[in-house]
Amino acid sequence: MLVDPNDLLTIGDVVRRTGVSASALHFYERKGLIFSDRDGTNQRRYPRHMLRRISLIVVAKRLGIRLSDVASVFNTLPSHHAPTHRDWQRLSSAWKQRLEERRRAIEALEAELTGCIGCGCLSMKACLLLNPDDALSPQGPGPVRLQSAVRE
């Protein structure tokens, strides 16, 4: 069976191919992340190239990337025809900085996880030295030492 890149897929086809539920597809469509057309019976039909967008959404979610970040990057792509290789290269370079920031945040978490993160628990020996009497609490809620490391 030959597959035509210009095929329009039913919602069932997209669900089977991506593993994403129909309700999630509707949600992504409402958010402007993906697009469909309607056929003569008012049924959704997705261009085959939406499979790539949906797959990138799935991967981004697994990596903890917010859908609003995905949307801002997707806004640089054409919506109603398949993106070109150059379009995907442009998207990739725009996303690279965001991924680098996320990588640095994960590395900071890894480095600080076994030490005092400034959360106020005072349960580790290092807390008594780095955050005596929860002196970091005026800096804000949460793990203030870790948050400052992530912002740098």
Side-chain angles (χ1 to χ4, degrees), residues 80-116:
H80 293 290
H81 65 83
T84 65
H85 181 72
R86 178 168 276 162
D87 291 329
W88 286 113
Q89 284 179 318
R90 190 176 64 253
L91 178 139
S92 175
S93 65
W95 218 339
K96 184 176 181 167
Q97 181 179 357
R98 287 187 173 113
L99 294 175
E100 281 297 324
E101 290 167 2
R102 181 164 294 281
R103 189 175 297 115
R104 282 193 298 274
I106 291 169
E107 288 170 355
L109 173 62
E110 182 182 40
E112 297 288 335
L113 202 54
T114 59
C116 176

Side-chain angles (χ1 to χ4, degrees), residues 3-15:
V3 176
D4 184 349
N6 297 312
D7 282 345
L8 293 175
L9 306 174
T10 66
I11 197 163
D13 294 334
V14 174
V15 166

Side-chain angles (χ1 to χ4, degrees), residues 28-35 53 57 67-80 83 87-88 90-91 94-95 98:
Y28 298 153
E29 197 165 351
R30 282 192 307 274
K31 293 291 185 184
L33 296 166
I34 63 173
F35 306 94
R53 281 182 178 237
I57 293 167
L67 288 180
S68 60
D69 291 337
V70 174
S72 68
V73 174
F74 278 7
N75 285 339
T76 68
L77 293 175
S79 57
H80 293 290
D87 291 329
W88 286 113
R90 190 176 64 253
L91 178 139
W95 218 339
R98 287 187 173 113

